Amino acid sequence: MRLLVVELPLGQEPVARTRKIVHVDMDAFYASVEQRDNPSYRGKPLVVGGSPNQRGVVAAASYEARKFGIHSAMPSITAIAKCPALIFVRPRFDVYREIFAAIHAIFKRYTDLVEGVALDEAYLDVTENRQNIPYASTIARHIKTAIFQETQLTATAGVSINKFLAKMASGQNKPNGLTVILPEDAIAFVEQLPIEKFHGIGEVTAAKMHSLGIHTGADLKGRPLLELTHHFGKAGNYYYKIARAEDDRPVEANRVRKSIGAETSFARDLSDHSEMLQELEQIASVVEQRLEQHETRGRTLTLKVKFSDYQQLTRSKTMLTPISELSTIFEIAKVLFESIDLENRSIRLLGISLSNLDNAKQTQVIQLPLFQNAGIAF
């Protein structure tokens, strides 16, 4: 775990202090905004996203829609098949940005160390905070209350000693929850966690881990680093650390995003050319949504292809002017894809990303008892 070293007067030893990280995740943010602003949508399955008639994708799903197995990045045509009564609403990113700016202002009442991950979640380092509140759980509770009072929206918060654990905590009790993972409970929490619940481990990677006999955090912790890097490449280093509840990434205020993209790992390898192009168009649609969400465009498009044997290649093209439209993104990605000699090979992953981003706005922006344990107040 990452420690903060506090400087003391000459002659005294420095004191190592565990960080206090809060992860705030808005509950079904886009969908909740639409239900808030339109009472006729409340209590009904709703998604924010593109039309199923136009190869759209789901940007967000209400909790009523999630009961049908609908989730973000799902093709809209698949979503409507799961729930014929589904309500589709076009995204209003300008509204979502305005609301999250107000939420971000709430965060800044407590700390300048705020790292926005997207329009609906953020990490806060409150080890030292503006109001000198000793308990991170108190700050999280105050933030949740302020968000609801000022926006009529709910958020779920996670509190722990690093970003990974705070993120995992915020996923434990949604919606409108607050979960704290104490330093002394961190290892036990990770050990009992099913591997598919780990942040950073997707469906395909989880399936591969299952085939290797890795089903829980404890199983993952039992595998040596060399074995994990052999099976998972550089990601093996990350898996090795989080299995031990270790994450030394700092909360990066004013982090500049260098690229925006999306990728899909397929549960079964693709061998049909038309199916590959269909998946590529869905990925391009997700990229378009994310570019709009971040109010940016990009000049360099990179296509990523991973084959069934885990060999990976990329192809890139840089344009004279930045792009952000679905049709353009897909056409360029398609040209790059067609330049690859597939040699009757099947594909397990496709991805598209845009870099050389042009927007200067990329700066990124609960009832629980108080407790103190092992000399660390949370």
Side-chain angles (χ1 to χ4, degrees):
M1 78 183 62
R2 182 181 175 88
L3 299 178
L4 294 179
V5 177
V6 181
E7 295 294 336
L8 296 177
L10 190 64
Q12 296 187 34
E13 292 295 326
V15 178
R17 195 151 47 126
T18 303
R19 292 187 301 168
K20 301 174 186 178
I21 308 298
V22 178
H23 180 258
V24 179
D25 192 3
M26 298 301 297
D27 297 325
F29 183 46
Y30 303 164
S32 295
V33 170
E34 300 304 332
Q35 290 179 319
R36 181 198 70 174
D37 293 349
N38 190 331
S40 68
Y41 293 157
R42 296 174 189 171
K44 298 178 182 179
L46 173 147
V47 299
V48 175
S51 166
N53 299 324
Q54 300 175 345
R55 291 187 179 273
V57 295
V58 175
S62 70
Y63 284 101
E64 295 85 357
R66 294 181 188 189
K67 293 177 181 178
F68 292 88
I70 297 167
H71 55 79
S72 62
M74 173 180 284
S76 297
I77 193 169
T78 303
I80 197 71
K82 288 177 175 290
C83 178
L86 196 60
I87 300 170
F88 280 86
V89 179
R90 292 293 300 177
R92 296 185 295 157
F93 288 114
D94 55 338
V95 175
Y96 310 146
R97 281 189 288 266
E98 182 180 350
I99 295 171
F100 196 70
I103 294 170
H104 195 272
I106 294 173
F107 299 155
K108 297 300 283 287
R109 297 172 193 171
Y110 298 90
T111 178
D112 283 327
L113 292 178
V114 178
E115 180 182 330
V117 180
L119 286 182
D120 59 351
E121 63 175 306
Y123 292 98
L124 291 73
D125 188 328
V126 297
T127 312
E128 296 180 359
N129 60 86
R130 286 179 167 174
Q131 300 190 27
N132 295 317
I133 296 174
Y135 302 101
S137 54
T138 302
I139 294 174
R141 188 170 63 252
H142 288 178
I143 287 173
K144 280 169 48 64
T145 299
I147 289 173
F148 184 73
Q149 289 177 343
E150 298 176 32
T151 70
Q152 292 76 57
L153 299 169
T154 63
T156 297
V159 178
S160 197
I161 57 178
N162 58 45
K163 291 169 74 171
F164 170 73
L165 290 171
K167 172 73 172 179
M168 297 310 304
S170 69
Q172 296 301 300
N173 191 26
K174 291 183 71 68
N176 199 24
L178 172 58
T179 300
V180 180
I181 301 175
L182 291 168
E184 61 269 30
D185 296 332
I187 295 294
F189 172 83
V190 172
E191 287 182 342
Q192 58 80 38
L193 200 66
I195 208 67
E196 57 271 17
K197 298 293 185 181
F198 276 61
H199 177 58
I201 295 181
E203 179 181 351
V204 173
T205 300
K208 183 176 181 181
M209 287 189 175
H210 288 165
S211 72
L212 296 171
I214 301 173
H215 300 278
T216 66
D219 296 334
L220 184 62
K221 185 181 176 183
R223 302 303 174 96
L225 176 60
L226 188 61
E227 178 183 347
L228 293 178
T229 53
H230 171 72
H231 288 295
F232 303 103
K234 291 181 179 179
N237 291 288
Y238 172 74
Y239 302 149
Y240 182 84
K241 288 184 177 180
I242 61 174
R244 289 157 177 77
E246 297 175 2
D247 181 5
D248 59 3
R249 295 172 300 158
V251 173
E252 296 182 273
N254 302 321
R255 179 166 62 95
V256 176
R257 183 178 290 272
K258 296 181 179 179
S259 66
I260 289 177
E263 62 183 38
T264 299
S265 295
F266 307 111
R268 60 174 181 80
D269 297 340
L270 303 184
S271 56
D272 180 76
H273 185 266
S274 62
E275 188 177 7
M276 295 174 188
L277 291 180
Q278 183 176 344
E279 293 290 348
L280 196 64
E281 187 172 13
Q282 295 289 355
I283 295 168
S285 185
V286 175
V287 173
E288 180 196 40
Q289 282 187 352
R290 292 177 178 174
L291 289 167
E292 185 177 356
Q293 172 184 330
H294 290 281
E295 294 186 284
T296 191
R297 300 176 298 170
R299 292 180 58 241
T300 300
L301 186 147
T302 300
L303 172 72
K304 177 180 176 182
V305 179
K306 183 180 290 185
F307 296 100
S308 56
D309 60 2
Y310 283 87
Q311 181 184 353
Q312 179 176 303
L313 58 80
T314 60
R315 295 285 186 271
S316 297
K317 180 177 178 61
T318 298
M319 281 65 68
L320 294 176
T321 58
I323 64 170
S324 62
E325 298 78 15
L326 168 60
S327 59
T328 308
I329 295 170
F330 175 60
E331 285 305 318
I332 295 172
K334 182 179 177 181
V335 169
L336 293 174
F337 182 76
E338 300 288 7
S339 71
I340 298 172
D341 185 1
L342 296 178
E343 300 178 351
N344 297 318
R345 303 171 74 183
S346 54
I347 290 175
R348 67 178 295 106
L349 178 147
L350 286 171
I352 299 171
S353 64
L354 278 168
S355 55
N356 285 334
L357 304 180
D358 75 333
N359 195 328
K361 292 184 180 180
Q362 289 174 58
T363 298
Q364 291 186 308
V365 260
I366 331 182
Q367 281 301 108
L368 202 81
L370 301 180
F371 53 84
Q372 185 168 349
N373 229 315
I376 301 170
F378 267 75

